[in-house]
Amino acid sequence: MSATNKTVREEIKAITNELVKTCINRYIERISVLDNHPDFVCDNHVRDKVVDPIIMYKLRNDGGALSLKARGGREYEFLVEFDPYNLAYGIYFGCRCTLNTYTRIASQVEVCNDEWQHIGRYVIEALNNTFVDLDFSQREIPTDNVSDRTYWPFWFRLSEEEDVEEVAALATKIIRNVYQWFFEKGNYKQIMQEPVEKRAKSGRPKDSAVRVRYTIDCYNRIIDKLTTSKKYCDNAGEKFKLFIHLMEKYGIITSVPIYEKCWMLEWSITDFSQLYSLFYRKIAVDIERRNSKDTIEWAYVTPIIVSKDMRNISYIKAEYNKINVDGTRLTYEDVRSEEVFRCITSIINTLFPDK
């Protein structure tokens, strides 16, 4: 080898090493924001063995543990990772199963895959419901190995334009919530007996701006807007909190544990639209907003409430507009039963005793 060729090779090697170092540091800086996340723990242990240099941020389950016990002595972990040895992966997230040491690996992998085949549609639906502009239906990546008796039934790659906390961390929490629900007594057997449906693309255009629903941040923004807007009474934010509480108390809505902050309607969309319209008109300051059904802002409930079949309720305005409502008055004919009428009246009177 000539001296010139050796010099060129050394230069290429030095440049490559520097580029790799820059790339690694970039991903480390991005994923390190989870150091301050209250629900994630930086822990690169697999079983009791430290796996360097992979950076793992594990999500606690509702009981505080870093893993969720599954059937057959297996355990699921929900995590956001970066592997410097696989730079093309970038930052990725999902769930990893730690297999037991006494059953054939192939049998356990088959169980993991079977569970994912059945629960996958619930995970994808929850993710697509949460992230308004993202489509997870064709985003999952299969795993090509079983390493140290651990197995990822699926994983997702974080796009370069996406934020680690806003997307990866939140999506991992959604995945964990669905798996927790899946392993609850009674749910597992029922879901595993359901036929596996082929998933289709949602047809949703991708947008670089991440809009979300059914999150704590989304709920807080609603409260802040109601509190600060001059369109509503001074204590509109607190009234809305009490409104949610009373609806839970009367069984109109129930909390949905799959999401960060979400409730499911137990009432029909029509009856609920009547109740919310009356509430909205009471907190509105100007007369026009009180008396016109066209000025009702449904965006205070559509990002935090789903229908009985777990769909978003963006169609609530259309359903409400089918009803003939005269001002703020509500009659028995407007709702499906006298019981619903009494319930609506009781909630409104509790919230606004002087109006």
Side-chain angles (χ1 to χ4, degrees):
M1 182 186 298
S2 67
T4 302
N5 287 340
K6 182 177 181 181
T7 302
V8 170
R9 285 175 178 268
E10 289 175 347
E11 183 181 13
I12 290 174
K13 183 178 180 180
I15 293 172
T16 300
N17 288 340
E18 189 62 32
L19 291 173
V20 169
K21 182 180 177 181
T22 300
C23 187
I24 289 174
N25 289 338
R26 174 187 170 186
Y27 282 121
I28 290 176
E29 183 179 358
R30 288 185 67 196
I31 199 172
S32 294
V33 299
L34 294 180
D35 284 335
N36 300 318
H37 197 293
D39 300 321
F40 283 85
V41 176
C42 188
D43 177 12
N44 63 339
H45 285 79
V46 174
R47 302 183 189 279
D48 295 324
K49 177 183 174 184
V50 176
V51 181
D52 284 326
I54 301 177
I55 300 173
M56 307 177 189
Y57 284 89
K58 299 178 181 178
L59 176 63
R60 299 183 188 276
N61 63 30
D62 284 345
L66 294 179
S67 62
L68 177 67
K69 294 188 181 299
R71 295 192 168 198
R74 296 171 298 120
E75 294 186 6
Y76 280 106
E77 293 177 311
F78 306 92
L79 59 171
V80 181
E81 273 195 11
F82 167 61
D83 182 358
Y85 287 153
N86 289 284
L87 289 179
Y89 290 174
I91 295 171
Y92 52 94
F93 56 93
C95 76
R96 179 179 65 204
C97 188
T98 302
L99 310 178
N100 69 47
T101 57
Y102 50 83
T103 306
R104 288 181 63 247
I105 292 175
S107 299
Q108 296 184 74
V109 168
E110 185 178 353
V111 172
C112 290
N113 287 337
D114 193 29
E115 288 174 344
W116 171 240
Q117 286 296 312
H118 285 82
I119 194 179
R121 67 186 182 94
Y122 293 97
V123 170
I124 299 300
E125 183 176 50
L127 289 171
N128 282 350
N129 282 343
T130 299
F131 296 94
V132 180
D133 300 301
L134 302 181
D135 183 6
F136 284 82
S137 61
Q138 303 294 316
R139 192 166 171 168
E140 68 182 89
I141 302 173
T143 300
D144 59 2
N145 68 86
V146 179
S147 176
D148 197 24
R149 281 187 175 266
T150 64
Y151 177 68
W152 294 67
F154 68 95
W155 53 283
F156 298 103
R157 183 183 291 115
L158 183 71
S159 295
E160 293 303 304
E161 77 276 10
E162 294 171 347
D163 184 81
V164 172
E165 286 188 286
E166 289 182 354
V167 178
L170 178 56
T172 304
K173 290 180 73 174
I174 299 300
I175 295 167
R176 178 209 62 188
N177 291 349
V178 177
Y179 265 83
Q180 286 183 156
W181 165 77
F182 175 56
F183 283 109
E184 286 179 2
K185 186 177 180 181
N187 290 345
Y188 186 92
K189 184 176 180 181
Q190 177 184 336
I191 294 170
M192 292 298 288
Q193 289 176 344
E194 294 176 355
V196 175
E197 299 178 2
K198 184 178 180 180
R199 286 181 232 125
K201 291 184 179 180
S202 69
R204 177 182 298 167
K206 187 173 181 181
D207 192 321
S208 59
V210 178
R211 295 185 296 161
V212 296
R213 293 183 291 227
Y214 319 129
T215 66
I216 294 172
D217 185 56
C218 185
Y219 173 80
N220 289 338
R221 286 201 303 268
I222 289 172
I223 300 301
D224 289 343
K225 186 174 180 181
L226 287 169
T227 302
T228 57
S229 176
K230 294 181 179 180
K231 295 188 295 186
Y232 310 111
C233 61
D234 292 339
N235 57 347
E238 292 302 315
K239 291 284 188 184
F240 187 82
K241 290 181 183 179
L242 182 55
F243 178 57
I244 294 291
H245 170 73
L246 290 172
M247 287 198 294
E248 283 190 293
K249 178 181 176 181
Y250 281 90
I252 300 170
I253 57 175
T254 53
S255 180
V256 183
I258 287 175
Y259 299 104
E260 269 198 336
K261 200 76 169 178
C262 178
W263 292 269
M264 180 179 70
L265 274 178
E266 299 293 344
W267 274 16
S268 71
I269 193 73
T270 303
D271 288 343
F272 172 68
S273 71
Q274 291 281 49
L275 171 58
Y276 175 72
S277 68
L278 290 176
F279 169 79
Y280 183 83
R281 286 166 169 161
K282 291 290 186 179
I283 63 171
V285 173
D286 62 89
I287 299 299
E288 180 184 353
R289 212 166 266 281
R290 290 183 185 179
N291 293 334
S292 173
K293 66 181 181 181
D294 295 326
T295 59
I296 296 173
E297 294 190 40
W298 303 98
Y300 292 120
V301 289
T302 52
I304 57 173
I305 293 178
V306 294
S307 63
K308 271 189 174 183
D309 58 356
M310 296 289 284
R311 307 291 181 182
N312 74 72
I313 58 169
S314 56
Y315 59 94
I316 186 172
K317 180 179 179 180
E319 290 298 312
Y320 176 74
N321 286 341
K322 295 176 183 178
I323 307 167
N324 182 20
V325 180
D326 179 18
T328 59
R329 291 175 294 177
L330 178 69
T331 64
Y332 172 74
E333 288 75 17
D334 294 323
V335 295
R336 59 185 167 87
S337 71
E338 187 177 353
E339 180 183 352
V340 170
F341 180 84
R342 287 199 302 266
C343 187
I344 291 176
T345 304
S346 177
I347 289 175
I348 296 301
N349 288 342
T350 300
L351 286 166
F352 308 98
D354 301 325
K355 290 191 176 183

